Amino acid sequence: MRIDVVTIFPGYLAPLREALLGRAVGTGLLDIAVHDLRDWTHDVHQAVDDAPYGGGPGMVMRPHVWGEALDDVLAADPRPARLVVPTPAGRPFTQAAAHAYAAQERLVFACGRYEGIDQRVVDHYAASMPVDEISIGDYVLVGGEVAVLVVVEAVARLLPGVLGNPRSAAEDSFSDGLLEGPAYTRPEVWRGHAVPEVLRSGNHGAIARWRRDRALERTAERRPDLIAALPPDALDEADRAL
Ligand SMILES: CN1CCCC[C@@H]1Cn1ccc2ccc(-c3n[nH]c(N)c3C#N)cc21
């Protein structure tokens, strides 16, 4: 998979070169290119923003700079691409979306700043390619870069060979529609808190049941919306007896 990120703060994307993602890039599982939007400006001030039509606070990112940048970035690789534009007004980014993105050959991220990117940029490219305006959560950030870090990590960990243990992605939160339950490791007792005995029993059936029950309890308490969204056959008799 190839990932391109266009931003006025390339340094914000430095974490993409670290740890798990850095190894994925180093082993060729992932090809990441970060581009400075200002490289496509032509004025001495390298202006990328201007006052909003209709008035209002702040500045809006100018369409012509984005158009020149995205035209060049898209032309640099023949693989079909999906343009992803983080915005608080976007559709929620979910684990299902992460799986969908992991199947893409190429993702191009447009990181906005200020009050966002002139809407005509999204409208223009949506006429010739898939374009997603996504949000990583119901809170307001200062720009799209942090959202790109979140999305790229969520997607990259699903790519074959990126995670040491592929079971991790298959069994993590949301994979079965539930939150992950509690996890424990040594010592057996820490500051008077003991590891639940069932986890030390060696009874794999009882352990699986216990883990499922804790995941159901946690999900019902913290995210009842996920319980409501489960398909009718998702809960078995033992689940319902909880
Ligand atoms: C604050 N400021 C005026 C109001 C509109 C947004 C703007 C800041 N801003 C500019 C570009 C940009 C992109 C993403 C996000 C963003 N915030 N929260 C999310 N879940 C996001 C995503 N994904 C914020 C952005």
Side-chain angles (χ1 to χ4, degrees), residues 16-120:
L16 292 180
R17 307 288 172 197
E18 297 296 321
L20 173 132
L21 290 176
R23 284 195 301 275
V25 172
T27 54
L29 289 169
L30 201 50
D31 177 17
I32 298 179
V34 179
H35 312 273
D36 186 339
L37 179 68
R38 293 192 196 277
D39 290 349
W40 283 274
T41 59
H42 307 293
D43 62 302
V44 66
H45 301 296
Q46 295 193 307
V48 293
D49 62 303
D50 203 339
Y53 274 112
M59 306 291 271
V60 175
M61 300 191 91
R62 306 171 74 179
H64 73 281
V65 182
W66 274 105
E68 288 192 30
L70 291 175
D71 285 352
D72 283 357
V73 167
L74 288 166
D77 190 301
R79 283 174 283 188
R82 177 174 291 270
L83 177 61
V84 181
V85 184
T87 167
R91 293 181 190 281
F93 176 72
T94 63
Q95 187 67 11
H99 279 285
Y101 285 1
Q104 296 286 320
E105 289 187 74
R106 190 180 181 202
L107 296 172
V108 176
F109 290 91
C111 294
R113 281 271 160 167
Y114 308 100
E115 296 300 309
I117 301 171
D118 187 299
Q119 187 61 40
R120 289 170 291 181

Side-chain angles (χ1 to χ4, degrees), residues 85-89 111-117 134-145 147:
V85 184
T87 167
C111 294
R113 281 271 160 167
Y114 308 100
E115 296 300 309
I117 301 171
I134 58 129
S135 170
I136 62 166
D138 293 339
Y139 37 80
V140 182
L141 302 170
V142 179
E145 288 79 6

